[in-house]
Every structure is written in C-alpha cells, then in structure tokens.
Amino acid sequence: MAGSPQYIRNLNENLIMDGLIATGAMSRADISRQTGLSKPTVSSAIEHLIERNLVLETGRADNAQGRKATLIRFNETAYYVCGIDIGATRIRIALSDLNGEIMDYRTYPTLSVQSGDRAGTAILDVLRSHMDEILTENQLNWEQIRCVGFGIPGVVVPESGDIDRIVAPLEGLEKLLSLESLSGAFPCEVILENDVNLAALGEYRGGAAAESNLFVFFSIGTGTGAGIMVNGQLLRGMGGLTGELAEMLMEEGRRRLEDVLSADGLMELARRHLDASLLKDPDSGIEGLREHLTPEKLFEAARSGETQAVQTLKQYSQMIASALRHICVVLAPHLIVLGGGIGGNGDVLLPFLRQIVSEQFPAQPTLICSELGERAVVTGAVQVALQQTMLNLQQEALE
C-alpha cells in the first residue's frame, strides 16, 4: 500500500540500486551521502537487496584513515537477458548481463520458409535449440533469463503483438512469430518489436546516434524501413506503421520504395545498366559481373572503379536521396543513419548522398552509417529486454 513502511522501504531500495548502477561500487556511508537516506535505513535496505541477490559486498574501500569500509556493488549477474534478431537470411542472438554487457554473440542461417504449421514450428524449435545451446555453454539455465527481446522484419501491432506484414522471405510465418506464439515457446517474458526500430534504439544507446534527440535510422537490405527516435523515444504511430517507408511511392507513383531500393531493386537497376553497356560494347569485359551479379559484387566493382558499377550506384543514390528528401521535409531530423546489408556500404553511397543533400535539400541532416552494423538490431533487442527486466525488478520490490 502506498505510504506504508514496506512501500517506503522498497522505494529506498530502488533508489540505492539506481545509485549503484550509475556510480559503481560504494560504501554504505557513500550511499547514505548520495541518496540522503540515513545510515540505518541504508544498512537495512542493503541487507534486503543482498537477500534478493541484486547487490553484493565486494572488497574494501581505500580509506585514507581508519577502518576500511566494505564496498557494495550492483550484481549484474543476478539475472540475464537475450536479444534475438530474426532476419530474412540470418538469425543473430546475443546474451547480456544486467549491465548490458554482451557475454555471447552468435549468428545462424535462417531456415528456408515453407508453408504450413510444421515449418513454422520447426523455426521455433530451432530458435529454442540455439538458445539452449548458448545457455548451456555459458553455464546458465532458463531460470536466470528474465526476458528475451525479438526483432523481426515486419510490422508489429503495438496493442496485440500480432504481425500485420512481414518481409517477403518470411511470409507465412506471421502467426508463428507473433508475440503470443513466441511467449508460448520460451519460458520467460518475451518482447516483440520491429527490427528497424530496434536498430534505431541500438544506435541511440551505444552507436552512431548516441543521445541524438531527433534522428532516423534508414535500413536498406532485403527490405526497407525506418526507425524514428525523438528525445529517446521510438515513434510507432497508428498500428505500428511509423517508418514503413516500403509503402512510399517512387518513380512518379508507379512503384513502391521497397521494390525500387531493396536488394532486388538494386539488382534490377544494375542489370539494366550492364545490359545497356554490353549492347554498346560487347567487349567491355563486364560479362562476368553481369553473370554472377550480387549486391556485394556490385559494391566491390564500384570500389575498384568499374565505370558501370559506379554509374549504377550513383543513380541508385539519387533514388535513396529522393526518399530521404521526403523524410527531411516532414521531420527535419538532425541525423540520418544508414544501415542494413546495402545501406551499410557508406564508403560508396555517402559521398554521392552528401553531395545531393548539400545541393538539393532544404533541411540538411548529417548523414552517417551505422556503427553497430549487423549487430544493431540485436543490440536494440537486448536493450528493450534489459529495460523491461529492470522495471520488473523495481515493481517486484514494491509488491
């Protein structure tokens, strides 16, 4: 009950724990000075936190004089959280302690998707198997895992955790990857979020957008999408649709942005350029590039100075800039972070884009690439799992 001695005691415990997380190990006297709580109140709260395994006594303070005081620190290994990025081609899993320190990180191929419940159930079984393996090798068990954050390349309805749409390679798994389904497959709390939103959060917490108060994470790869953060909060909008740039119309309203800018769209553009070049000069020496074309090979060719590859990516950058201009006119963000399998090639794309921005944009944000790279989504997934876990621990103290 609010105002009761137990309620006040638990508020004090949360205040002490916050101080230890922010400051590090402190003596009881230091905690008393920092929090303004009396020494007897601090000692009583510390004893209860030790019983809950949330703080530990560790060593002695380096006092100049007198008896050495025992130091108290937050126990970051009391529990653990996980982040899982279910991508179109790769699954990425990170195990973290309560300080957000990544203890283990692994990648696995995403299973080929087939229709039917058995295929979806197999994916859940494989995810659980990967997690079991990681826990076993880190000498942990599921009772020590408080929360798992999942990122998926689709629209997650905030109110229900249902998946409204998903990237093409995972179509058919909307129900099996829903919050309800994942919660039934894992013996801990589960959070489900759009992958690009999580990438934006990851970059904000510890990447290229650290503490930026208005920025856009624009992901270009198998699919396209944007995560938008304002004052540290993700914008989700009606039905979680904020940032679904895939539905923006390009090329005079004829094609969806995702069809134009995704990996498939880039390959289509590149083939047109290469075919036109071969018609003009059959001996140009680009037959090999055309025959074995992939986004990776296209960027490699551009880095090597291959003319058609450079021209293709220059035109492609114009198309990216067209989408960014619409974003900038509406939001005027201070910063745009490019990520994803294609967007992460900043050494090639950014010089083109920055020139276009400087010449054509009324609002000119800073353009940079993701610092976290392929770990951006899983880093954000760890962060949401960690936030939820710390909130739960505080609420448990108040119950």
Side-chain angles (χ1 to χ4, degrees), residues 170-255:
L170 298 180
E171 284 180 353
L173 296 182
E174 291 87 344
K175 184 176 180 180
L176 285 152
L177 293 179
S178 68
L179 179 61
E180 180 180 6
S181 176
L182 291 171
S183 296
F186 290 84
C188 63
E189 184 169 6
V190 167
I191 296 175
L192 181 63
E193 178 62 270
N194 169 264
D195 60 347
V196 184
N197 280 347
L198 291 179
L201 179 61
E203 295 289 347
Y204 177 78
R205 294 294 183 189
E211 306 309 317
S212 176
N213 63 0
L214 176 56
F215 83 96
V216 176
F217 183 93
F218 187 22
S219 178
I220 312 173
T222 303
T224 58
I228 302 168
M229 292 197 72
V230 180
N231 296 325
Q233 300 296 316
L234 284 166
L235 293 185
R236 290 184 172 83
M238 182 174 60
L241 287 168
T242 294
E244 281 301 302
L245 301 184
E247 301 304 323
M248 185 184 294
L249 294 180
M250 303 279 288
E251 297 182 351
E252 299 179 353
R254 295 192 302 271
R255 300 179 67 192

Coordinates of all heavy atoms in Angstrom, one line a residue, residues 170-255:
L170 N 9.9 -14.2 -45.3 CA 9.3 -14.8 -44.1 C 7.8 -14.9 -44.2 O 7.2 -15.2 -43.2 CB 9.8 -14.1 -42.9 CG 11.3 -14.1 -42.6 CD1 11.6 -13.3 -41.3 CD2 11.8 -15.5 -42.5
E171 N 7.3 -14.5 -45.3 CA 5.8 -14.6 -45.5 C 5.3 -16.0 -45.1 O 5.8 -17.0 -45.5 CB 5.4 -14.2 -46.9 CG 5.5 -12.7 -47.1 CD 5.1 -12.3 -48.5 OE1 4.8 -13.2 -49.4 OE2 5.0 -11.1 -48.8
G172 N 4.2 -16.0 -44.4 CA 3.6 -17.2 -44.0 C 3.9 -17.6 -42.5 O 3.2 -18.4 -41.9
L173 N 4.8 -16.8 -41.9 CA 5.2 -17.1 -40.5 C 4.6 -16.0 -39.6 O 5.0 -15.9 -38.4 CB 6.7 -17.1 -40.4 CG 7.4 -18.3 -41.1 CD1 8.9 -18.2 -40.8 CD2 6.8 -19.6 -40.7
E174 N 3.7 -15.1 -40.1 CA 3.2 -14.1 -39.2 C 2.6 -14.6 -37.9 O 2.9 -14.0 -36.9 CB 2.1 -13.2 -40.0 CG 2.7 -12.4 -41.2 CD 2.7 -13.2 -42.5 OE1 2.7 -14.5 -42.4 OE2 2.9 -12.6 -43.5
K175 N 1.8 -15.6 -38.0 CA 1.2 -16.1 -36.8 C 2.2 -16.8 -35.8 O 2.2 -16.6 -34.6 CB 0.1 -17.1 -37.1 CG -0.7 -17.6 -35.9 CD -1.9 -18.5 -36.3 CE -2.7 -19.0 -35.1 NZ -3.8 -19.8 -35.6
L176 N 3.1 -17.5 -36.4 CA 4.0 -18.3 -35.6 C 5.1 -17.4 -35.0 O 5.8 -17.8 -34.0 CB 4.7 -19.4 -36.4 CG 3.7 -20.6 -36.6 CD1 4.0 -21.3 -37.9 CD2 3.8 -21.6 -35.5
L177 N 5.3 -16.2 -35.5 CA 6.3 -15.3 -35.0 C 5.7 -14.2 -34.2 O 6.3 -13.2 -33.8 CB 7.2 -14.7 -36.1 CG 8.1 -15.7 -36.8 CD1 9.0 -15.0 -37.8 CD2 9.1 -16.4 -35.8
S178 N 4.4 -14.3 -33.9 CA 3.6 -13.3 -33.1 C 4.1 -13.4 -31.7 O 4.7 -14.3 -31.2 CB 2.1 -13.6 -33.2 OG 1.8 -14.8 -32.5
L179 N 3.8 -12.4 -30.9 CA 4.1 -12.3 -29.5 C 3.5 -13.5 -28.7 O 4.2 -14.1 -27.9 CB 3.7 -11.0 -28.9 CG 4.0 -10.8 -27.4 CD1 5.5 -10.8 -27.1 CD2 3.3 -9.5 -26.9
E180 N 2.3 -13.8 -29.0 CA 1.6 -14.9 -28.3 C 2.4 -16.2 -28.6 O 2.6 -17.0 -27.7 CB 0.2 -15.0 -28.8 CG -0.6 -16.2 -28.1 CD -2.0 -16.3 -28.6 OE1 -2.4 -15.5 -29.5 OE2 -2.7 -17.1 -28.0
S181 N 2.8 -16.5 -29.8 CA 3.4 -17.7 -30.2 C 4.8 -17.8 -29.6 O 5.2 -18.8 -29.0 CB 3.5 -17.8 -31.7 OG 4.3 -19.0 -32.1
L182 N 5.6 -16.7 -29.6 CA 6.9 -16.7 -29.1 C 6.9 -16.8 -27.5 O 7.7 -17.5 -26.9 CB 7.7 -15.4 -29.4 CG 8.0 -15.3 -30.9 CD1 8.6 -13.9 -31.2 CD2 9.1 -16.3 -31.3
S183 N 5.9 -16.2 -26.9 CA 5.7 -16.3 -25.5 C 5.5 -17.8 -25.0 O 5.9 -18.2 -24.0 CB 4.6 -15.4 -25.0 OG 4.9 -14.0 -25.2
G184 N 4.8 -18.5 -25.9 CA 4.5 -19.9 -25.6 C 5.7 -20.8 -25.8 O 5.7 -21.9 -25.2
A185 N 6.6 -20.4 -26.6 CA 7.8 -21.2 -26.9 C 9.0 -21.0 -26.0 O 9.9 -21.8 -25.9 CB 8.2 -21.0 -28.3
F186 N 9.0 -19.9 -25.2 CA 10.1 -19.5 -24.4 C 9.6 -19.3 -22.9 O 8.7 -18.6 -22.7 CB 10.8 -18.3 -24.9 CG 11.6 -18.5 -26.2 CD1 10.9 -18.4 -27.4 CD2 12.9 -18.8 -26.2 CE1 11.5 -18.7 -28.6 CE2 13.6 -19.1 -27.4 CZ 12.9 -19.0 -28.6
P187 N 10.3 -19.9 -22.0 CA 9.9 -19.9 -20.6 C 10.3 -18.6 -19.8 O 10.9 -18.7 -18.7 CB 10.6 -21.1 -20.0 CG 11.8 -21.3 -20.8 CD 11.5 -20.8 -22.2
C188 N 10.1 -17.5 -20.4 CA 10.4 -16.2 -19.7 C 9.6 -15.1 -20.5 O 8.9 -15.4 -21.4 CB 11.9 -15.9 -19.8 SG 12.5 -15.7 -21.5
E189 N 9.7 -13.9 -20.0 CA 9.0 -12.8 -20.6 C 9.6 -12.6 -22.0 O 10.8 -12.6 -22.2 CB 9.1 -11.5 -19.8 CG 8.2 -10.4 -20.4 CD 8.1 -9.2 -19.4 OE1 8.7 -9.3 -18.3 OE2 7.3 -8.3 -19.7
V190 N 8.7 -12.2 -23.0 CA 9.1 -12.0 -24.3 C 8.6 -10.6 -24.8 O 7.5 -10.2 -24.5 CB 8.5 -13.1 -25.3 CG1 8.7 -12.7 -26.7 CG2 9.3 -14.4 -25.0
I191 N 9.5 -9.9 -25.5 CA 9.1 -8.6 -26.1 C 9.3 -8.8 -27.6 O 10.4 -9.3 -28.0 CB 9.9 -7.5 -25.6 CG1 9.7 -7.3 -24.1 CG2 9.7 -6.2 -26.3 CD1 10.6 -6.3 -23.4
L192 N 8.4 -8.3 -28.4 CA 8.5 -8.4 -29.9 C 8.4 -7.0 -30.4 O 7.6 -6.2 -30.1 CB 7.4 -9.2 -30.4 CG 7.3 -9.4 -32.0 CD1 8.6 -10.2 -32.4 CD2 6.1 -10.2 -32.4
E193 N 9.4 -6.7 -31.3 CA 9.5 -5.3 -31.9 C 10.0 -5.4 -33.3 O 10.7 -6.3 -33.7 CB 10.4 -4.5 -31.0 CG 10.7 -3.1 -31.5 CD 9.4 -2.2 -31.5 OE1 8.7 -2.2 -32.5 OE2 9.1 -1.6 -30.5
N194 N 9.6 -4.4 -34.1 CA 10.1 -4.3 -35.5 C 11.6 -4.1 -35.4 O 12.2 -3.4 -34.6 CB 9.5 -3.0 -36.1 CG 10.2 -2.7 -37.4 OD1 11.0 -1.8 -37.4 ND2 9.8 -3.3 -38.5
D195 N 12.3 -4.8 -36.4 CA 13.8 -4.9 -36.3 C 14.4 -3.5 -36.5 O 15.4 -3.2 -35.9 CB 14.3 -5.9 -37.3 CG 13.9 -5.6 -38.8 OD1 13.0 -4.7 -39.0 OD2 14.5 -6.2 -39.7
V196 N 13.9 -2.7 -37.4 CA 14.5 -1.4 -37.7 C 14.3 -0.5 -36.5 O 15.2 0.3 -36.2 CB 14.0 -0.8 -39.0 CG1 14.7 0.5 -39.3 CG2 14.1 -1.7 -40.2
N197 N 13.2 -0.5 -35.8 CA 13.0 0.2 -34.6 C 14.1 -0.2 -33.6 O 14.7 0.7 -32.9 CB 11.6 0.0 -34.0 CG 10.5 0.7 -34.6 OD1 10.8 1.7 -35.4 ND2 9.3 0.4 -34.3
L198 N 14.4 -1.5 -33.5 CA 15.4 -1.9 -32.5 C 16.8 -1.4 -33.0 O 17.6 -1.1 -32.1 CB 15.4 -3.4 -32.4 CG 14.1 -4.0 -31.7 CD1 14.2 -5.5 -31.7 CD2 14.0 -3.5 -30.3
A199 N 17.0 -1.4 -34.3 CA 18.3 -0.9 -34.7 C 18.5 0.5 -34.4 O 19.6 1.0 -34.0 CB 18.4 -1.1 -36.2
A200 N 17.4 1.3 -34.5 CA 17.5 2.7 -34.1 C 17.8 2.9 -32.7 O 18.6 3.7 -32.2 CB 16.2 3.4 -34.5
L201 N 17.1 2.0 -31.8 CA 17.4 2.1 -30.4 C 18.8 1.7 -30.1 O 19.5 2.3 -29.2 CB 16.4 1.2 -29.7 CG 16.5 1.1 -28.2 CD1 16.3 2.4 -27.5 CD2 15.6 0.0 -27.6
G202 N 19.3 0.7 -30.8 CA 20.7 0.2 -30.5 C 21.7 1.3 -30.9 O 22.6 1.6 -30.1
E203 N 21.5 2.0 -32.0 CA 22.4 3.1 -32.4 C 22.3 4.3 -31.4 O 23.3 5.0 -31.1 CB 22.1 3.6 -33.8 CG 22.3 2.6 -34.9 CD 23.8 2.3 -35.1 OE1 24.7 3.0 -34.6 OE2 24.1 1.3 -35.8
Y204 N 21.1 4.5 -30.8 CA 20.9 5.6 -29.9 C 21.6 5.3 -28.6 O 22.2 6.1 -27.9 CB 19.4 5.8 -29.6 CG 19.1 6.8 -28.6 CD1 19.2 8.2 -28.9 CD2 18.7 6.5 -27.3 CE1 18.9 9.2 -28.0 CE2 18.4 7.5 -26.4 CZ 18.5 8.8 -26.7 OH 18.3 9.8 -25.8
R205 N 21.5 4.0 -28.1 CA 22.1 3.6 -26.8 C 23.6 3.5 -26.9 O 24.3 3.8 -25.9 CB 21.5 2.3 -26.4 CG 20.0 2.4 -26.0 CD 19.8 3.2 -24.8 NE 18.3 3.2 -24.5 CZ 17.8 4.1 -23.6 NH1 18.6 4.9 -23.0 NH2 16.5 4.0 -23.3
G206 N 24.2 3.1 -28.0 CA 25.6 2.8 -28.0 C 26.2 2.8 -29.4 O 27.2 2.0 -29.6
G207 N 25.7 3.6 -30.3 CA 26.2 3.6 -31.6 C 26.4 4.9 -32.2 O 26.7 5.9 -31.6
A208 N 26.0 5.0 -33.5 CA 26.3 6.3 -34.3 C 25.4 7.4 -33.8 O 25.7 8.6 -34.1 CB 26.1 6.0 -35.8
A209 N 24.2 7.1 -33.2 CA 23.3 8.2 -32.9 C 23.2 8.4 -31.4 O 22.2 8.9 -30.9 CB 21.9 7.8 -33.4
A210 N 24.3 8.1 -30.7 CA 24.3 8.2 -29.2 C 23.8 9.6 -28.8 O 24.3 10.7 -29.1 CB 25.7 8.0 -28.7
E211 N 22.6 9.6 -28.1 CA 22.0 10.7 -27.4 C 21.5 11.8 -28.4 O 21.2 12.9 -28.0 CB 23.0 11.4 -26.5 CG 23.5 10.4 -25.4 CD 22.5 9.6 -24.7 OE1 21.4 10.2 -24.3 OE2 22.7 8.4 -24.5
S212 N 21.4 11.4 -29.7 CA 20.8 12.4 -30.7 C 19.3 12.5 -30.4 O 18.6 11.6 -30.2 CB 20.9 11.9 -32.1 OG 20.3 12.7 -33.0
N213 N 18.8 13.8 -30.3 CA 17.4 14.0 -29.9 C 16.4 13.8 -31.0 O 15.2 13.8 -30.8 CB 17.2 15.3 -29.2 CG 17.5 16.5 -30.0 OD1 17.8 16.3 -31.2 ND2 17.4 17.7 -29.5
L214 N 16.8 13.8 -32.2 CA 15.9 13.5 -33.4 C 16.7 13.0 -34.5 O 17.5 13.7 -35.2 CB 15.2 14.8 -33.8 CG 14.3 14.7 -35.0 CD1 13.2 13.7 -34.9 CD2 13.7 16.1 -35.4
F215 N 16.5 11.7 -34.7 CA 17.2 11.1 -35.8 C 16.4 9.9 -36.5 O 15.4 9.4 -35.9 CB 18.6 10.5 -35.4 CG 18.6 9.2 -34.7 CD1 18.8 8.0 -35.5 CD2 18.3 9.0 -33.4 CE1 18.8 6.8 -34.9 CE2 18.2 7.8 -32.8 CZ 18.5 6.6 -33.5
V216 N 16.8 9.5 -37.7 CA 16.2 8.5 -38.4 C 17.2 7.4 -38.8 O 18.3 7.7 -39.2 CB 15.6 9.0 -39.7 CG1 15.0 7.9 -40.6 CG2 14.5 10.1 -39.4
F217 N 16.9 6.2 -38.5 CA 17.7 5.0 -38.9 C 17.0 4.5 -40.2 O 15.9 4.0 -40.1 CB 17.8 4.0 -37.8 CG 18.7 2.8 -38.2 CD1 20.0 2.8 -37.8 CD2 18.2 1.7 -38.9 CE1 20.8 1.7 -38.2 CE2 19.0 0.7 -39.3 CZ 20.3 0.7 -38.9
F218 N 17.7 4.6 -41.3 CA 17.1 4.1 -42.6 C 17.8 2.8 -43.0 O 19.0 2.8 -43.3 CB 17.3 5.2 -43.6 CG 16.6 4.9 -44.9 CD1 15.5 4.0 -45.0 CD2 17.0 5.6 -46.1 CE1 14.9 3.8 -46.2 CE2 16.4 5.4 -47.3 CZ 15.3 4.5 -47.4
S219 N 17.1 1.7 -43.0 CA 17.7 0.4 -43.3 C 17.3 0.0 -44.7 O 16.2 0.1 -45.1 CB 17.2 -0.6 -42.3 OG 17.7 -1.9 -42.6
I220 N 18.4 -0.4 -45.5 CA 18.2 -0.8 -46.8 C 18.9 -2.2 -47.0 O 20.1 -2.3 -46.8 CB 18.7 0.1 -47.9 CG1 18.3 1.6 -47.6 CG2 18.3 -0.3 -49.3 CD1 18.9 2.6 -48.5
G221 N 18.1 -3.2 -47.3 CA 18.7 -4.5 -47.5 C 17.7 -5.4 -48.2 O 17.2 -5.0 -49.3
T222 N 17.3 -6.6 -47.7 CA 16.3 -7.4 -48.3 C 15.0 -6.6 -48.4 O 14.2 -6.7 -49.3 CB 16.1 -8.7 -47.5 OG1 17.4 -9.4 -47.4 CG2 15.1 -9.6 -48.1
G223 N 14.7 -5.8 -47.3 CA 13.6 -4.9 -47.3 C 14.1 -3.5 -47.0 O 15.3 -3.3 -46.9
T224 N 13.1 -2.6 -46.8 CA 13.5 -1.2 -46.4 C 12.6 -0.8 -45.3 O 11.5 -1.3 -45.1 CB 13.3 -0.3 -47.6 OG1 11.9 -0.3 -48.0 CG2 14.2 -0.6 -48.8
G225 N 13.1 0.1 -44.5 CA 12.3 0.6 -43.4 C 13.1 1.7 -42.6 O 14.3 1.8 -42.8
A226 N 12.4 2.4 -41.7 CA 13.0 3.4 -40.9 C 12.5 3.3 -39.5 O 11.4 3.0 -39.2 CB 12.7 4.8 -41.5
G227 N 13.5 3.6 -38.6 CA 13.2 3.8 -37.2 C 13.4 5.2 -36.8 O 14.4 5.8 -37.2
I228 N 12.4 5.8 -36.2 CA 12.5 7.3 -35.9 C 12.5 7.4 -34.4 O 11.6 6.9 -33.7 CB 11.3 8.0 -36.5 CG1 11.3 7.8 -38.1 CG2 11.4 9.5 -36.2 CD1 10.0 8.3 -38.8
M229 N 13.4 8.2 -33.9 CA 13.5 8.4 -32.4 C 13.5 9.9 -32.1 O 14.2 10.7 -32.8 CB 14.8 7.8 -31.8 CG 14.7 6.3 -31.8 SD 15.9 5.5 -30.7 CE 15.2 5.9 -29.1
V230 N 12.6 10.3 -31.2 CA 12.5 11.7 -30.8 C 12.7 11.7 -29.3 O 12.0 11.1 -28.5 CB 11.1 12.3 -31.1 CG1 11.1 13.7 -30.7 CG2 10.9 12.2 -32.6
N231 N 13.7 12.4 -28.8 CA 14.0 12.5 -27.4 C 14.1 11.2 -26.7 O 13.6 11.0 -25.6 CB 13.0 13.4 -26.7 CG 13.0 14.9 -27.2 OD1 14.1 15.4 -27.5 ND2 11.9 15.5 -27.3
G232 N 14.8 10.2 -27.4 CA 15.0 8.9 -26.8 C 13.8 8.0 -26.9 O 13.9 6.9 -26.3
Q233 N 12.7 8.4 -27.5 CA 11.5 7.5 -27.6 C 11.3 7.2 -29.1 O 11.3 8.0 -30.0 CB 10.3 8.2 -27.1 CG 10.4 8.6 -25.6 CD 10.5 7.4 -24.7 OE1 9.8 6.4 -24.9 NE2 11.4 7.5 -23.7
L234 N 11.0 5.9 -29.3 CA 10.6 5.5 -30.7 C 9.2 5.9 -31.0 O 8.3 5.9 -30.2 CB 10.6 3.9 -30.7 CG 12.0 3.3 -30.8 CD1 11.9 1.8 -30.6 CD2 12.6 3.5 -32.2
L235 N 9.0 6.4 -32.3 CA 7.7 6.7 -32.8 C 7.1 5.5 -33.4 O 7.8 4.8 -34.3 CB 7.8 7.8 -33.8 CG 8.2 9.2 -33.3 CD1 8.1 10.2 -34.5 CD2 7.4 9.7 -32.2
R236 N 5.9 5.1 -33.1 CA 5.3 3.9 -33.6 C 4.1 4.2 -34.5 O 3.9 3.6 -35.5 CB 4.9 2.9 -32.5 CG 6.1 2.3 -31.8 CD 5.7 1.3 -30.8 NE 6.9 0.6 -30.3 CZ 7.7 1.0 -29.4 NH1 7.5 2.2 -28.8 NH2 8.8 0.3 -29.0
G237 N 3.3 5.2 -34.1 CA 2.2 5.6 -34.9 C 1.0 4.6 -34.9 O 1.1 3.6 -34.2
M238 N 0.0 4.9 -35.7 CA -1.2 4.1 -35.7 C -0.8 2.7 -36.3 O -0.2 2.5 -37.3 CB -2.2 4.7 -36.7 CG -3.5 3.9 -36.8 SD -4.7 4.9 -37.8 CE -3.8 5.0 -39.4
G239 N -1.1 1.7 -35.4 CA -0.9 0.3 -35.8 C 0.6 -0.1 -36.0 O 1.0 -1.0 -36.6
G240 N 1.5 0.7 -35.4 CA 2.9 0.5 -35.5 C 3.5 0.8 -36.9 O 4.6 0.3 -37.2
L241 N 2.8 1.6 -37.7 CA 3.2 1.8 -39.1 C 4.2 2.9 -39.3 O 4.6 3.1 -40.4 CB 2.0 2.0 -39.9 CG 1.1 0.8 -40.2 CD1 -0.2 1.2 -40.8 CD2 1.8 -0.2 -41.1
T242 N 4.5 3.7 -38.3 CA 5.5 4.8 -38.5 C 6.8 4.2 -39.0 O 7.3 3.2 -38.5 CB 5.8 5.5 -37.1 OG1 4.6 6.2 -36.7 CG2 6.9 6.5 -37.3
G243 N 7.4 4.8 -40.0 CA 8.6 4.3 -40.6 C 8.5 3.2 -41.6 O 9.6 2.8 -42.1
E244 N 7.3 2.9 -42.0 CA 7.1 1.8 -43.0 C 7.3 2.5 -44.4 O 6.4 2.6 -45.2 CB 5.8 1.2 -42.9 CG 5.7 0.1 -41.9 CD 6.7 -1.0 -42.1 OE1 6.7 -1.6 -43.2 OE2 7.5 -1.2 -41.2
L245 N 8.6 2.9 -44.7 CA 8.9 3.6 -45.9 C 8.7 2.7 -47.1 O 8.7 3.2 -48.3 CB 10.3 4.1 -45.9 CG 10.7 5.1 -44.8 CD1 12.1 5.6 -45.0 CD2 9.7 6.2 -44.7
A246 N 8.6 1.4 -46.9 CA 8.4 0.5 -48.1 C 7.2 0.8 -48.9 O 7.2 0.6 -50.1 CB 8.3 -1.0 -47.5
E247 N 6.2 1.4 -48.2 CA 5.0 1.8 -49.0 C 5.0 3.1 -49.6 O 4.1 3.5 -50.3 CB 3.8 1.7 -48.0 CG 3.6 0.4 -47.3 CD 3.4 -0.7 -48.3 OE1 2.8 -0.5 -49.3 OE2 3.9 -1.8 -48.0
M248 N 6.1 3.9 -49.5 CA 6.2 5.1 -50.2 C 6.3 4.9 -51.7 O 6.9 3.9 -52.1 CB 7.5 5.9 -49.7 CG 7.7 7.3 -50.3 SD 9.2 8.0 -49.8 CE 9.0 8.2 -48.0
L249 N 5.6 5.7 -52.5 CA 5.6 5.5 -53.9 C 6.8 6.3 -54.6 O 7.0 7.5 -54.3 CB 4.3 6.0 -54.5 CG 3.1 5.1 -54.1 CD1 1.8 5.6 -54.8 CD2 3.3 3.6 -54.5
M250 N 7.5 5.7 -55.5 CA 8.6 6.3 -56.2 C 8.3 6.2 -57.7 O 7.3 5.7 -58.1 CB 9.9 5.4 -55.9 CG 10.2 5.3 -54.4 SD 11.0 6.8 -53.8 CE 12.7 6.6 -54.5
E251 N 9.3 6.9 -58.4 CA 9.2 6.9 -59.9 C 7.8 7.3 -60.3 O 7.1 6.6 -61.0 CB 9.6 5.5 -60.4 CG 11.0 5.1 -60.1 CD 11.4 3.8 -60.7 OE1 10.5 3.1 -61.3 OE2 12.6 3.4 -60.7
E252 N 7.4 8.5 -59.9 CA 6.1 9.1 -60.3 C 4.9 8.3 -59.9 O 4.0 8.2 -60.7 CB 6.1 9.4 -61.8 CG 7.2 10.3 -62.3 CD 7.2 10.6 -63.8 OE1 6.4 9.9 -64.5 OE2 8.0 11.5 -64.2
G253 N 5.1 7.6 -58.7 CA 3.9 6.9 -58.2 C 3.7 5.6 -58.8 O 2.7 4.9 -58.5
R254 N 4.6 5.0 -59.5 CA 4.4 3.8 -60.2 C 4.9 2.6 -59.4 O 4.4 1.5 -59.6 CB 5.1 3.8 -61.6 CG 4.6 4.8 -62.6 CD 5.1 4.5 -64.0 NE 6.6 4.5 -64.0 CZ 7.3 5.6 -64.2 NH1 6.7 6.7 -64.4 NH2 8.6 5.5 -64.2
R255 N 5.9 2.8 -58.5 CA 6.4 1.6 -57.8 C 6.6 1.9 -56.3 O 6.9 3.1 -56.0 CB 7.8 1.2 -58.4 CG 7.7 0.8 -59.9 CD 9.1 0.5 -60.4 NE 9.6 -0.8 -59.8 CZ 10.8 -1.2 -59.9 NH1 11.7 -0.4 -60.6 NH2 11.2 -2.3 -59.4

